[in-house]
Amino acid sequence: MTVAMITDREFMQFQRFIFDAAGITMADGKQALVSGRLAKRLAHYQLGSYGDYLKLLESRDQPAELQVAVDLLTTNETYFFREPKHFALLRDLAQDAADKHRTLRVWSAASSSGEEPYSIAMVLADVLGDASWEVLGTDISTRVLQRARSGHYPMERASQMPQHYLKRFCLKGQGSEAGTMLIERALRQRVQFQHLNLNAPLPKIGTFDVIFLRNVMIYFSLETKRQVVTRLLAQLRQGGYFLIGHSETLNDINDTLTAVAPSIYRKP
Ligand SMILES: C[S@@+](CC[C@H](N)C(=O)[O-])C[C@H]1O[C@@H](n2cnc3c(N)ncnc32)[C@H](O)[C@@H]1O
């Protein structure tokens, strides 16, 4: 089968599609990325052009295909204990909650396939044990959420995980599962996953003591970043912590928070 080329016009239509669906601003020049990721969907429906695939999405004849396209156009790279400074802070906050017998609620707001919320849960389980704590992981991609709920990962994703956590919370795959690991059931059951678009009004999810919004704002325009951060801050309790990726900043985005350290903010 010949592989269709994506035209500039089709590419612009996909830029509009993913912006409307997720608030993601896809840079000019990413034609190869879009055509590479969507080529298998054209093959699946035996379509001759990316324009035909757009027509299929717009026609709503295959409503589930909209989510498939969103899944394919998001970038989901992540790993356990990414940016360890945040997990050291979390440990201190968990200790404080333990001392004060307070519940700790943490939201991983772009959780991807679950490595971030499970890393959070490991720290909380370690410090707080069976005491009251909650972790919510949300993402716009249903494909990564499915992987997150399964808790099954290639071993290399855990290269930054402290060894004692690996031993305590993960089961090493044997035989045909060699090279993989499974988050043990008790920890898996303590993490809730939910489909959620950060670029739309939020469902009722309550307020949190800590919000992780890491490595997702890079895909948003300045205006979308402002709207998303404002929306999320309404769910952060006073005195709560807001954590972003190390390559990100809230300069020009929000000035209501107190900067504690690079990528760590607190709601006054
Ligand atoms: C690069 S991953 C970051 C994962 C994790 N937070 C980390 O730092 O390792 C970005 C995630 O943001 C999600 N995402 C992108 N736009 C979103 C939106 N509008 N609402 C919710 N999630 C979104 C993507 O599906 C992807 O899984």
Side-chain angles (χ1 to χ4, degrees):
M1 198 185 121
T2 50
V3 181
M5 293 283 288
I6 191 165
T7 66
D8 287 348
R9 187 181 141 78
E10 288 164 343
F11 175 68
M12 279 165 58
Q13 288 171 309
F14 280 111
Q15 280 180 311
R16 166 58 54 190
F17 169 79
I18 195 64
F19 182 78
D20 289 346
I24 293 173
T25 300
M26 201 157 22
D28 291 338
K30 296 270 185 191
Q31 277 88 341
L33 181 139
V34 171
S35 57
R37 288 187 181 181
L38 298 178
K40 52 187 171 226
R41 301 315 291 162
L42 268 66
H44 177 83
Y45 289 107
Q46 300 187 318
L47 299 172
S49 75
Y50 287 89
D52 288 344
Y53 183 60
L54 276 159
K55 278 191 202 120
L56 182 132
L57 291 174
E58 280 161 10
S59 73
R60 310 283 159 126
D61 284 349
Q62 304 283 344
E65 191 61 26
L66 288 170
Q67 183 64 52
V68 175
V70 169
D71 285 357
L72 289 169
L73 292 174
T74 53
T75 298
N76 317 109
E77 196 214 321
T78 185
Y79 48 90
F80 288 94
F81 289 91
R82 183 178 196 176
E83 304 180 10
K85 194 173 74 173
H86 293 153
F87 296 96
L89 169 72
L90 188 66
R91 169 170 285 279
D92 293 344
L93 298 177
Q95 194 54 60
D96 192 49
D99 295 343
K100 293 179 178 148
H101 303 288
R102 283 197 39 232
T103 299
L104 198 66
R105 292 192 83 225
V106 185
W107 179 16
S108 165
S111 67
S112 187
S113 36
E115 290 85 335
E116 182 176 279
Y118 285 130
S119 303
I120 295 168
M122 286 178 196
V123 173
L124 300 193
D126 192 19
V127 179
L128 291 163
D130 289 335
S132 174
W133 55 269
E134 287 173 34
V135 180
L136 173 68
T138 63
D139 202 280
I140 198 169
S141 163
T142 51
R143 183 175 48 108
V144 291
L145 288 170
Q146 213 176 337
R147 219 176 308 148
R149 289 190 183 99
S150 79
H152 191 204
Y153 300 98
M155 197 52 117
E156 59 263 21
R157 294 280 176 84
S159 62
Q160 309 288 321
M161 190 188 291
Q163 276 298 316
H164 63 285
Y165 284 170
L166 195 60
K167 282 209 185 97
R168 180 167 161 197
F169 297 116
C170 307
L171 304 167
K172 206 170 160 191
Q174 307 285 345
S176 63
E177 302 292 353
T180 70
M181 59 95 162
L182 182 68
I183 304 292
E184 55 113 24
R185 184 195 291 261
L187 196 79
R188 246 186 297 146
Q189 286 177 338
R190 293 212 59 172
V191 180
Q192 297 299 312
F193 288 100
Q194 189 175 329
H195 182 240
L196 184 150
N197 183 357
L198 298 169
N199 194 37
L202 298 175
K204 280 203 169 69
I205 50 172
T207 53
F208 294 88
D209 301 285
V210 188
I211 298 177
F212 284 66
L213 182 70
R214 306 193 312 165
N215 304 303
V216 62
M217 276 193 291
I218 39 171
Y219 303 107
F220 297 155
S221 68
L222 186 61
E223 191 45 39
T224 304
K225 286 178 196 177
R226 286 184 182 142
Q227 289 167 2
V228 167
V229 170
T230 303
R231 193 173 289 127
L232 267 64
L233 288 182
Q235 309 304 131
L236 185 65
R237 75 157 173 84
Q238 281 189 343
Y241 284 81
F242 194 75
L243 311 181
I244 62 175
H246 279 141
S247 59
E248 300 167 318
T249 172
L250 290 186
N251 290 350
D252 288 341
I253 294 171
N254 191 289
D255 58 8
T256 66
L257 297 179
T258 308
V260 177
S263 77
I264 300 178
Y265 295 83
R266 192 163 190 205
K267 188 168 177 176

